[in-house]
Amino acid sequence: MDIVWSNFFIQLIAFGILYWLLSRYAFGPLLSIMEQRKQFVKEQLENAENSRKQAEQQYEEQKSTLQQARKDAYDIIEQAKQTSSKQAEEIVHAAKSEATRLKDEAVKDIESEKNKAIAALRGQVSGMSVMIASKIIEKQIDDKSQEQLVNQYLNEVGSK
């Protein structure tokens, strides 16, 4: 295989001209477009990284907010339990106080009624004693008659 030197130089000159034309009119815009594409991809990667960081930050904020909400809910439940327990104790205490007050009033009422009954009985007994004494004085009777008379008046008082 023989090399034709004239063709070789023509091809070398044609390649040089083609290379010069390409570098002058094609490589500049092509490299510019490739550089723009490179910048665009770089910006997209940076935006994606920023978005990922923001998403992680929001996730952490939401996580802490959820934990705080759970803690607040737990605190509210505990406070409600304490309040209800305190109210229950207050209600029981009030009921005991009311029961004690009613019992004391009942005891006072019973004592008052007892005193009234004793006073009434004393009045009746003293009245009867006077009646018995006056009957006995009116009738001077023997011991057996006197005992019958006393029993008769006691039976009358007992039936009233």
Side-chain angles (χ1 to χ4, degrees), residues 4-15:
V4 179
W5 289 105
S6 64
N7 283 342
F8 174 74
F9 286 115
I10 292 174
Q11 286 178 354
L12 186 61
I13 291 172
F15 179 75

Side-chain angles (χ1 to χ4, degrees), residues 116-137:
K116 287 179 185 177
I118 289 173
L121 278 175
R122 283 187 180 157
Q124 287 178 355
V125 168
S126 64
M128 288 188 160
S129 297
V130 169
M131 274 182 17
I132 290 173
S134 66
K135 295 266 183 178
I136 290 175
I137 292 176

Side-chain angles (χ1 to χ4, degrees), residues 1 6 25-26 35 38 43 49 64 68 70 96-97 101 108 112 129 134 156:
M1 194 181 250
S6 64
Y25 297 108
E35 186 63 33
K38 181 180 172 183
E43 288 174 5
E49 182 65 23
S64 65
Q68 184 64 34
R70 285 183 180 158
K96 284 182 180 179
S97 297
R101 185 186 65 79
K108 286 178 184 177
S112 173
S129 297
S134 66
E156 287 178 16

